Amino acid sequence: MADSPYLPEFDSEGGPDADSASRVEGRVRWRRFALLTVPAVAVTAGLGIALAQGALAASFAVSGQQFKVSATSLEGEGFAQYGSVDVNARQELIPVAVTAIKEAKLHSLCQSVVTTLPVIGDISLNLTAGQKTPVEASNLFVDATQLAGDAEFTNIEIGRDASTLDKGPAEAQGMQDLFAQQADKVTISSLQQTAWATNAGTFKLSGLSMNISKGKKECF
């Protein structure tokens, strides 16, 4: 019978040949390693393909800081929400929930970010707008990690495949088979949101005011 490539050879004294056993052990270990790495490689490749196809939220590299956004109320038409991934300058992947709205109005908008600098300490950047005339945005995308408030939806669809969304902006679609939801209209009172990125087709800020101050001064 021909020598099996999976069985050790035997030396003149009837014991397993050491070199042969080493080759077999090494072969088995490499196979186990391959089996363990295949899922990770597949996930990474899948994310890479999705990024190339624009399925993930990677229109620009996000900074290393999240910012906070609040508003007394948000009114939107054409709402969609789905999971996605942002990418920073180090090419690290950051999971986010994308909220996309065709046309949005925000009352009493506040945006804040806190930076900690050596020696100086905390520095806060605060932006406010829409105290009298609401802030208006079209094709608004917010890549968030936290959202709170009192929400009301009109004709909502929960559990829709993210790749088939059609009520939000044209680009508001996620990866196939992923969970998503959409609605004709959305109203959120006492909005509080923590996000990595925001982008919009147009963003009209009425009564804009921006200031920088020492210490931690956040919207909420």
Side-chain angles (χ1 to χ4, degrees), residues 26-57:
R27 187 180 296 122
V28 172
R29 285 180 177 175
W30 274 108
R31 285 181 177 177
R32 288 178 180 173
F33 173 79
L35 288 173
L36 290 173
T37 56
V38 164
V41 172
V43 169
T44 303
L47 290 173
I49 293 171
L51 283 167
Q53 294 176 343
L56 302 185

Side-chain angles (χ1 to χ4, degrees), residues 45-119:
L47 290 173
I49 293 171
L51 283 167
Q53 294 176 343
L56 302 185
S59 57
F60 57 84
V62 300
S63 74
Q65 296 176 279
Q66 295 191 75
F67 56 92
K68 293 185 175 182
V69 177
S70 68
T72 55
S73 66
L74 177 151
E75 301 158 3
E77 294 186 5
F79 167 87
Q81 191 173 64
Y82 54 95
S84 190
V85 178
D86 279 343
V87 182
N88 62 20
R90 298 184 183 87
Q91 297 302 303
E92 296 169 334
L93 303 178
I94 303 169
V96 295
V98 177
T99 297
I101 303 175
K102 277 186 178 180
E103 300 291 337
K105 292 183 178 181
L106 299 99
H107 299 263
S108 298
L109 173 70
C110 173
Q111 179 178 304
S112 65
V113 61
V114 178
T115 301
T116 302
L117 300 176
V119 181

Side-chain angles (χ1 to χ4, degrees), residues 183-205:
D184 290 339
K185 296 181 180 181
V186 60
T187 300
I188 303 177
S189 301
S190 303
L191 171 68
Q192 294 183 345
Q193 191 164 239
T194 304
W196 284 104
T198 296
N199 60 76
T202 60
F203 206 35
K204 184 178 180 181
L205 298 157

Side-chain angles (χ1 to χ4, degrees), residues 81-178:
Q81 191 173 64
Y82 54 95
S84 190
V85 178
D86 279 343
V87 182
N88 62 20
R90 298 184 183 87
Q91 297 302 303
E92 296 169 334
L93 303 178
I94 303 169
V96 295
V98 177
T99 297
I101 303 175
K102 277 186 178 180
E103 300 291 337
K105 292 183 178 181
L106 299 99
H107 299 263
S108 298
L109 173 70
C110 173
Q111 179 178 304
S112 65
V113 61
V114 178
T115 301
T116 302
L117 300 176
V119 181
I120 299 176
D122 291 336
I123 300 294
S124 296
L125 169 64
N126 289 80
L127 179 153
T128 60
Q131 304 297 327
K132 296 180 179 180
T133 303
V135 171
E136 297 180 2
S138 64
N139 294 329
L140 174 67
F141 288 79
V142 181
D143 302 349
T145 56
Q146 177 270 336
L147 185 150
D150 300 318
E152 180 179 344
F153 301 91
T154 302
N155 296 327
I156 190 169
E157 300 172 358
I158 301 174
R160 180 160 178 152
D161 188 300
S163 68
T164 68
L165 295 171
D166 57 10
K167 291 188 176 184
E171 300 84 4
Q173 290 186 338
M175 296 178 67
Q176 185 175 348
D177 296 329
L178 291 189

